[in-house]
Amino acid sequence: LGVAVSGTTAYVASDSTGVQVLELADCLFTCLPEEIGFVIPKGSPKAIEVSGAIGYVANIGNNALLVLDLSDTAAPAVIGSVEIPTFAGGGLAYSGSTVYVTTGFPSPGLQAIDASDPANPQLLGFAPTNFTPEGLTISGSVAYVADGLDGVTLMDISDPNTPTILSTVDTPFSPLGVA
């Protein structure tokens, strides 16, 4: 389950219900958000990020990154996709027009994707990890990857064609997310 919020709108990616669009405008302390739109893509959405009127969805059901047009929140639509060569994980983040997705079996790691043309995203570089990474966040040119038993792996993503491991920070348990 992934959630992204933009203004007063929440986007929820769920492998059982697709991508839901919820209006939060009148929710100060207690209320039930109103569903105002949804899209049910082929596969199982696991994570979502939103940049303006574009949504990026890591879809584990068909190992793909989906690109959504969110300009009409009542009718979001898939406008592009790219197949990821390995199982798409739950980590998803973007920096500029580059989207990063964690991957799992059989090749765990971090996949960079050029999304400058939302209708035609293209695979860029890949950096392997030792375990199946889940969470992912980006700060500047560094990706922080929750990498299972390895802890948190820091990757240099200054060149998305060749992401590389900088270091690994051991954690007492297997992290599932980073922020």
Side-chain angles (χ1 to χ4, degrees), residues 6-11 20-27 31-37 73:
S6 179
T8 60
T9 306
Y11 302 88
Q20 296 174 286
V21 182
L22 306 174
E23 180 57 49
L24 307 174
D26 297 325
C27 294
C31 76
L32 292 175
E34 176 186 357
E35 180 178 88
I36 56 174
T73 54

Side-chain angles (χ1 to χ4, degrees), residues 36-71:
I36 56 174
F38 66 91
V39 61
I40 302 175
K42 179 182 174 186
S44 302
K46 183 160 183 183
I48 186 166
E49 288 286 336
V50 174
S51 176
I54 298 292
Y56 304 108
V57 176
N59 195 343
I60 62 173
N62 61 357
N63 296 336
L65 172 76
L66 306 180
V67 183
L68 304 180
D69 177 358
L70 303 173
S71 58

Side-chain angles (χ1 to χ4, degrees), residues 69-162:
D69 177 358
L70 303 173
S71 58
D72 178 0
T73 54
V78 176
I79 58 170
S81 68
V82 63
E83 185 176 334
I84 298 168
T86 186
F87 177 77
L92 174 68
Y94 67 90
S95 178
S97 63
T98 305
V99 179
Y100 297 88
V101 179
T102 59
T103 62
F105 181 81
S107 300
L110 182 68
Q111 177 69 59
I113 300 165
D114 177 4
S116 58
D117 176 1
N120 191 27
Q122 299 291 313
L123 296 178
L124 294 172
F126 176 80
T129 59
N130 290 325
F131 296 95
T132 298
E134 285 291 330
L136 168 65
T137 194
I138 294 172
S139 179
S141 62
V142 178
Y144 298 83
V145 180
D147 191 18
L149 296 175
D150 260 3
V152 177
T153 299
L154 284 66
M155 293 194 181
D156 177 358
I157 57 169
S158 58
D159 179 357
N161 289 301
T162 56

